[in-house]
């Protein structure tokens, strides 16, 4: 079995359409795939149909943007029913926030002499969510930094000209939408937040008391040391473990669909909740 429970498509900031993503995952040997676009479930039906045709198991999912103590934290909802009203209404609110924020990013960049960023990002996003990734690709193409990574560092993170402080969903709120939709809430890529051990402990406690049940122990680019410390935290706080590449595009040759290390011992995989 090869599980990859965190991936993106063109419905948010991924490069492949939902169907293409499923085909690529199947080719890579993934047996269980979750599509987790940012704040949007529009790709799930297409991916589900393609997974059926490719003979792999598909887990309908979403990655919800939350704000916890003024910090951005992502929560993945696995095995959700996208038709759930509370979930749909919650995501609709976040989608409106994304649009307003993107317009403001465009205005702030324009003040720095960078014209047309909002329009360019919107065009790149197409029918999908507008994300900072779309701005980053436009800014990189304008030659404003050497790489997409550098664009983030110089323009799009806290303290930089194109950064817009945003109030996403509350942590408890996001977990409650996921649970009402019949899903399981997973704290995404805890290593990425660069929290100290005590802050991460606080987050895991809050997440657990909100009803969160699992944490991504294996997340995309996490190092062996980060995996071990997250595994220890999962055992300590009695959270199940999830694994996901956070795949966005094939440009990073070192990050491939389904190519993930094994879970460390002494953990309960989140998929033990499901039948097969
Ligand atoms: P948003 O949800 O619109 O704030 O966009 C966040 C997305 O930007 C994340 O999901 C990543 O895909 C991407 N991202 C964030 N930070 C970086 C970074 N330093 N380098 C490259 N991509 C990044
Ligand atoms: Mn992303
Ligand atoms: Mn994320
Ligand atoms: Mn992600």
């Amino acid at each position: 079995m090869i599980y990859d429970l965190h991936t993106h498509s063109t419905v948010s900031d991924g490069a492949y359409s939902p169907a293409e993503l499923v085909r690529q995952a199947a080719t890579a040997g993934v047996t269980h795939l979750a599509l987790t676009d940012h704040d949007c479930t529009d790709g799930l039906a297409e991916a589900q149909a393609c997974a059926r045709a490719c003979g792999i198991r598909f887990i309908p999912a979403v990655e919800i943007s939350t704000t916890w103590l003024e910090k951005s934290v992502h929560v993945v909802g696995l095995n959700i029913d996208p038709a759930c009203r509370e979930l749909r209404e919650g995501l609709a609110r976040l989608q409106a926030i994304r649009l307003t924020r993107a317009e403001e990013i465009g205005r702030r960049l324009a003040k720095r002499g960078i014209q047309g960023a909002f329009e360019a990002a919107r065009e790149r996003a197409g029918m999908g969510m507008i994300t900072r990734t779309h701005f980053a690709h436009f800014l990189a193409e304008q030659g404003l930094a050497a790489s997409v990574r550098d664009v983030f560092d110089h323009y799009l993170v806290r303290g930089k000209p194109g950064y817009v402080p945003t109030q996403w969903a509350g942590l408890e709120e996001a977990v409650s939408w996921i649970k009402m939709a019949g899903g399981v809430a997973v704290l995404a890529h805890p290593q990425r937040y660069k929290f100290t051990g005590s802050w991460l402990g606080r987050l895991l406690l809050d997440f657990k008391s909100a009803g969160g049940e699992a944490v991504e122990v294996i997340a995309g680019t996490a190092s062996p040391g980060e995996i071990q410390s997250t595994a220890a935290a999962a055992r300590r706080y009695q959270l199940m473990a999830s694994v996901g590449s956070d795949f966005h595009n094939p440009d990073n040759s070192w990050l491939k669909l389904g190519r993930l290390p094994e879970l460390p011992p002494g953990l309960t995989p989140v998929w033990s909740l499901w039948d097969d």
Side-chain angles (χ1 to χ4, degrees):
M1 299 293 181
I2 298 183
Y3 287 82
D4 193 335
L5 303 181
H6 188 151
T7 65
H8 295 272
S9 76
T10 47
V11 164
S12 62
D13 53 354
Y16 294 139
S17 68
E20 186 58 23
L21 179 84
V22 172
R23 278 192 288 272
Q24 293 285 341
T27 304
V30 172
T31 57
H32 292 69
L33 177 76
L35 173 62
T36 56
D37 277 308
H38 298 288
D39 307 317
C40 190
T41 58
D42 289 356
L44 298 182
E46 179 184 315
Q48 177 80 263
C50 189
R52 218 170 275 133
C54 293
I56 69 172
R57 169 82 198 268
F58 182 71
I59 294 104
V62 67
E63 181 175 16
I64 302 182
S65 308
T66 79
T67 300
W68 175 76
L69 303 182
E70 290 174 27
K71 299 167 201 304
S72 256
V73 165
H74 288 175
V75 177
V76 162
L78 294 177
N79 224 357
I80 48 155
D81 172 8
C84 167
R85 188 172 59 86
E86 289 82 0
L87 177 67
R88 276 194 291 124
E89 288 174 0
L91 295 182
R93 190 178 105 211
L94 296 180
Q95 290 164 13
I97 291 172
R98 278 197 173 274
L99 189 57
T100 311
R101 168 207 195 220
E103 287 163 350
E104 181 60 19
I105 293 175
R107 276 192 292 274
R108 292 192 186 196
L109 290 173
K111 274 193 206 144
R112 297 298 180 110
I114 303 164
Q115 304 300 329
F118 169 70
E119 291 73 13
R122 187 174 55 181
E123 191 173 324
R124 279 161 188 275
M127 301 285 286
M129 300 292 96
I130 307 190
T131 72
R132 282 184 295 160
T133 307
H134 298 100
F135 282 94
H137 286 154
F138 167 72
L139 295 173
E141 208 176 81
Q142 300 293 296
L144 287 161
S147 66
V148 168
R149 225 228 122 89
D150 282 358
V151 174
F152 266 93
D153 291 348
H154 292 111
Y155 291 93
L156 298 173
V157 296
R158 202 184 284 261
K160 300 299 176 181
Y163 181 76
V164 175
T166 305
Q167 195 65 39
W168 300 107
L171 189 68
E172 306 76 29
E173 239 183 343
V175 171
S176 78
W177 301 337
I178 291 166
K179 291 178 81 81
M180 282 189 273
V184 50
V186 183
L187 184 75
H189 44 61
Q191 308 91 355
R192 196 106 37 92
Y193 308 127
K194 306 284 174 220
F195 291 166
T196 59
S198 65
W199 272 92
L200 185 60
R202 268 177 91 173
L203 172 59
L204 291 174
L205 275 180
D206 278 5
F207 180 66
K208 212 179 142 99
S209 50
E213 293 175 274
V215 56
E216 278 180 1
V217 170
I218 311 278
T221 55
S223 69
E226 289 171 331
I227 291 171
Q228 289 309 324
S229 64
T230 311
R235 292 184 202 106
R236 178 165 173 197
Y237 294 96
Q238 296 187 312
L239 289 160
M240 288 181 285
S242 188
V243 304
S245 61
D246 203 3
F247 177 89
H248 283 75
N249 61 61
D251 301 348
N252 306 337
S253 52
W254 34 267
L255 198 154
K256 294 219 159 58
L257 281 162
R259 194 79 59 80
L260 296 162
E262 294 246 316
L263 273 178
L267 298 167
T268 307
V270 68
W271 54 85
S272 66
L273 290 173
W274 310 323
D275 297 331
D276 56 309

